[in-house]
Amino acid sequence: GINAEYTMAIKFSSQDLSDSIREYKQTRTDPLFSKFDLIVFASFFLYLTYQIMFEHTIRLSFTFWILLVPSVILAMQKNIAVKEESLLIMHELGIQIKTKLYNGKEKSLFIDRSKIKDIVINEGITMNNVIFYMAFIVRGKTKMVLPFQNFYPRLDTLLKIYKGTRSIVFGEPEDDIQTQTDS
């Protein structure tokens, strides 16, 4: 089974901004730092405090490095952790894919509606998992564009996103969009 401490809590939301504009968001809701992370940081800072208070110096001992290296790696890893992914669909313009990081940085990608050839749901296989993901097939690109690259929505949620996106981009009635899992 999956250890619950290492799974992320993700909140999904959908908002209709008008008849032809919709936004789908996935936001990480669990704390950025786990109990393990806090223990690693606390150990390093307690060791530093001990060195300064009682020995009046910081020795670059084996213990120092054993505590420093994981602390730095964790801090760097958390600095680039993804907080939110969103997909904004605009019938007249196209789509905007946005990724927000915990450090405040944002990455955005806009794809013009005229360049979107198709929208598909694919199945991907990793070393120990099977995932479903939505992708845009874009004219002039050799690779598909994935709107949610870090937080993979569950299949039932992905189907809602897929149907809603197709209805806005291609003007297809949402209830009429068939998927292979519908039949």
Side-chain angles (χ1 to χ4, degrees):
I2 296 174
N3 185 342
E5 188 171 351
Y6 296 107
T7 59
M8 287 187 274
I10 307 294
K11 178 185 170 211
F12 170 76
S13 64
S14 170
Q15 183 178 12
D16 286 329
L17 303 171
S18 76
D19 290 343
S20 62
I21 301 174
R22 185 177 297 161
E23 183 175 37
Y24 295 105
K25 278 187 188 178
Q26 292 207 115
T27 308
R28 185 175 177 174
T29 58
D30 60 342
L32 179 60
F33 294 102
S34 69
K35 292 174 189 172
F36 175 77
D37 298 337
L38 296 175
I39 289 169
V40 169
F41 290 132
S43 299
F44 177 69
F45 289 111
L46 285 172
Y47 180 76
L48 275 182
T49 304
Y50 173 81
Q51 290 284 308
I52 293 169
M53 297 288 286
F54 297 108
E55 297 186 16
H56 306 292
T57 184
I58 297 175
R59 287 185 295 135
L60 302 180
S61 65
F62 180 72
T63 306
F64 174 83
W65 291 109
I66 287 295
L67 294 172
L68 174 68
V69 171
S71 295
V72 169
I73 290 171
L74 280 173
M76 289 172 47
Q77 198 176 40
K78 301 302 179 175
N79 189 41
I80 59 169
V82 174
K83 181 177 185 167
E84 180 179 277
E85 290 183 308
S86 65
L87 171 63
L88 181 67
I89 308 117
M90 301 160 282
H91 177 69
E92 296 296 322
L93 300 173
I95 63 157
Q96 176 181 301
I97 299 167
K98 188 185 290 186
T99 304
K100 291 183 183 179
L101 306 178
Y102 272 100
N103 65 11
K105 292 183 181 177
E106 292 185 10
K107 294 185 275 184
S108 293
L109 171 67
F110 178 79
I111 301 173
D112 189 88
R113 183 173 166 256
S114 64
K115 298 213 184 254
I116 300 172
K117 283 177 32 178
D118 203 1
I119 304 166
V120 297
I121 291 181
N122 273 344
E123 181 179 66
I125 301 171
T126 64
M127 289 287 284
N128 57 359
N129 208 358
V130 176
I131 56 169
F132 294 94
Y133 61 92
M134 187 171 89
F136 293 95
I137 300 174
V138 181
R139 286 180 182 85
K141 291 202 179 236
T142 56
K143 292 185 176 182
M144 294 185 288
V145 178
L146 280 59
F148 302 106
Q149 295 182 18
N150 298 281
F151 307 143
Y152 297 106
R154 293 179 13 185
L155 184 57
D156 59 334
T157 303
L158 197 58
L159 287 170
K160 289 177 192 170
I161 297 169
Y162 171 77
K163 289 178 179 184
T165 303
R166 285 193 73 89
S167 72
I168 293 173
V169 171
F170 299 127
E172 299 172 358
E174 212 164 324
D175 297 334
D176 293 348
I177 299 170
Q178 292 293 310
T179 61
Q180 296 220 332
T181 58
D182 288 343
S183 38

